[in-house]
Amino acid sequence: LPSMGYAGQAVTLFGNGFEPKSKRNKVTLGDTKVKVVEASVNRLKVLIPKKATSGRFRVEVPERGHSESPQQFAVVEKLDVKSFKPAKGVPGTYVTINGKGFDTKGLRGYIGQTPIGVRVDSPTQVTIAVPPNGSTSKFVFTAPGAGRAEAKNEFDVLTPVTVTGFAPAYGQQGTKVSVYGTGFDLKRGRTKVLFGEKPLKIEPGSSESMLVVTIPKDAADAPFKVSVEGMGDKESENVFSVIQPQPAGAQAAVASAPVQPPAEVAATPEKPAAQPQPAPKQEKKPAAPSMDELMGIDPSRQADIASFEPSQGPVGETVMIQGKGFGEDVSAVKAWIGQTPANVIGCVPDMIMIEVPEGVKRGKVRLKVGDAPQITSKKHFIVE
């Protein structure tokens, strides 16, 4: 473990008959000599050398013979983020990110701590879409064996322009109206408001989420349209109804006119008023079987964390998590220390190896294996 890595990556070999003295274990990866940094009877810790290529590990101990790993170790390029463009945008903006190592299986991307979808264009380029809940932060990428890469600069997530409504919904000319939404910019006249085709002045009391305007003279029913420089424009779904002034005599006539109930709801001897009816009874449906039941999974055999070691260490330190039910698919495992995503570098049914991420001081180790519920360690890991 791990089953893949880059130059300088530490790898643990499991077996029997190793020599506790590091120098007495001769290890090669393919035809390349590998340095042994720690040794015991059943474990060797080695470092992947530069210019190494994928292949099997071979261990030779004097007077004990030699043995070769059953599976190949895959040498991958270490992840690196060099640049991205554009530098800012609203949620939904497509961003092109350039770097290295993006073709590694199991690549995951984040903006801050928020997951993002990643489209791999080539080993040196990916494209992402800023998620709806994204906020200004740095892009982060992780991949099994390829490490963790973080952009040097933050991506500036801008608030999109929206018009969610206005109040009041109707009124005469001269009525003050509050237009609600997001992304309004009051600096240097960057925001403009139209009522139909009539430009409106943005008045005191306005903010980034509310614009105060006045219905002009000779205006007719129309929607509000808000434009923000460089951010586009949005129009209200509803129309503000302009009430035209009525002559005094007409108003008096309207006021004295008797009000009759609507014909369709008035009760008559021939047609009595409709009475409220009880809601039809709903048949109680049987509870749907759980996903575990459908898949025949025994809850007692689900993943569980027993312990982890070491209990503290620096950023980049490899942490071995002991437990059960982990499987062997590295790409199906997600890990965190506290709320910070951690890179998963190896997985066997009873052990998972992760790297301590940046941006966390202490936190419990959390794992999610496939579609199974998330599991959490009892103790905290402390970052030195």
Side-chain angles (χ1 to χ4, degrees), residues 314-373:
V315 172
E317 175 75 51
T318 299
V319 180
M320 292 186 177
I321 305 167
Q322 309 285 345
K324 65 176 183 178
F326 298 148
E328 296 183 353
D329 185 0
V330 174
S331 64
V333 180
K334 295 181 180 179
W336 299 261
I337 293 181
Q339 301 296 321
T340 304
N343 187 32
V344 180
I345 58 175
C347 179
V348 291
D350 61 350
M351 181 190 296
I352 287 176
M353 297 177 70
I354 66 172
E355 291 178 337
V356 177
E358 295 181 1
V360 61
K361 293 183 178 179
R362 63 178 290 158
K364 293 186 176 181
V365 176
R366 300 189 294 125
L367 298 174
K368 183 169 176 58
V369 182
D371 295 329

Side-chain angles (χ1 to χ4, degrees), residues 214-229:
T214 299
I215 301 301
K217 294 181 180 180
D218 302 323
D221 297 357
F224 293 98
K225 184 177 182 179
V226 179
S227 301
V228 179
E229 185 179 338

Side-chain angles (χ1 to χ4, degrees), residues 25 59 83 133 193 205 210 292 343:
N25 299 281
V59 180
S83 63
N133 56 340
V193 182
M210 181 184 73
D292 285 354
N343 187 32

Side-chain angles (χ1 to χ4, degrees), residues 36-324:
V36 180
V37 293
E38 291 181 16
S40 67
V41 175
N42 54 18
R43 291 189 184 186
L44 296 178
K45 186 176 182 180
V46 302
L47 296 179
I48 302 302
K50 294 180 179 179
K51 298 182 180 180
T53 57
S54 300
R56 300 179 190 273
F57 286 103
R58 185 178 189 274
V59 180
E60 182 177 346
V61 179
E63 301 176 359
R64 297 187 187 179
H66 62 83
S67 181
E68 195 172 73
S69 62
Q71 79 273 27
Q72 285 201 350
F73 179 86
V75 176
V76 298
E77 193 165 24
K78 185 177 181 180
L79 280 173
D80 183 32
V81 177
K82 293 184 177 179
S83 63
F84 59 85
K85 61 180 181 180
K88 59 183 178 180
V90 299
T93 299
Y94 286 98
V95 183
T96 300
I97 301 171
N98 295 305
K100 294 191 301 183
F102 293 137
D103 58 340
T104 304
K105 183 180 178 181
L107 179 70
R108 294 192 179 112
Y110 306 84
I111 179 168
Q113 296 182 11
T114 303
I116 53 178
V118 181
R119 185 187 74 198
V120 179
D121 302 322
S122 72
T124 59
Q125 179 177 295
V126 295
T127 301
I128 65 96
V130 180
N133 56 340
S135 57
T136 298
S137 192
K138 294 181 179 181
F139 291 116
V140 177
F141 293 89
T142 66
R148 178 181 185 274
E150 183 178 278
K152 294 180 180 179
N153 301 318
E154 292 185 333
F155 179 86
D156 189 9
V157 179
L158 305 175
T159 303
V161 178
T162 65
V163 176
T164 57
F166 53 83
Y170 56 88
Q172 296 184 352
Q173 300 167 8
T175 299
K176 286 190 179 296
V177 180
S178 296
V179 180
Y180 301 100
T182 60
F184 305 151
D185 188 348
L186 305 183
K187 296 178 182 178
R188 301 184 298 276
R190 286 171 54 86
T191 299
K192 293 179 171 50
V193 182
L194 293 177
F195 182 64
E197 297 181 354
K198 296 180 179 292
L200 304 182
K201 179 183 177 181
I202 299 175
E203 302 182 15
S206 298
S207 68
E208 294 180 352
S209 59
M210 181 184 73
L211 301 175
V212 180
V213 295
T214 299
I215 301 301
K217 294 181 180 180
D218 302 323
D221 297 357
F224 293 98
K225 184 177 182 179
V226 179
S227 301
V228 179
E229 185 179 338
M231 297 294 291
D233 53 65
K234 289 292 180 181
E235 190 173 80
S236 63
E237 293 185 0
N238 298 322
V239 171
F240 180 90
S241 298
V242 180
I243 300 175
Q244 301 298 331
Q246 298 291 329
Q251 292 179 358
V254 171
S256 62
V259 179
Q260 299 294 333
E264 63 272 20
V265 300
T268 64
E270 293 78 12
K271 186 177 181 181
Q275 298 297 318
Q277 299 296 322
K281 293 183 178 180
Q282 299 291 331
E283 294 185 4
K284 188 175 181 180
K285 297 182 179 180
S290 66
M291 185 59 68
D292 285 354
E293 291 173 338
L294 290 174
M295 298 180 67
I297 297 176
D298 181 357
S300 64
R301 298 185 62 187
Q302 291 184 352
D304 180 52
I305 297 176
S307 63
F308 59 83
E309 61 176 359
S311 59
Q312 61 185 40
V315 172
E317 175 75 51
T318 299
V319 180
M320 292 186 177
I321 305 167
Q322 309 285 345
K324 65 176 183 178

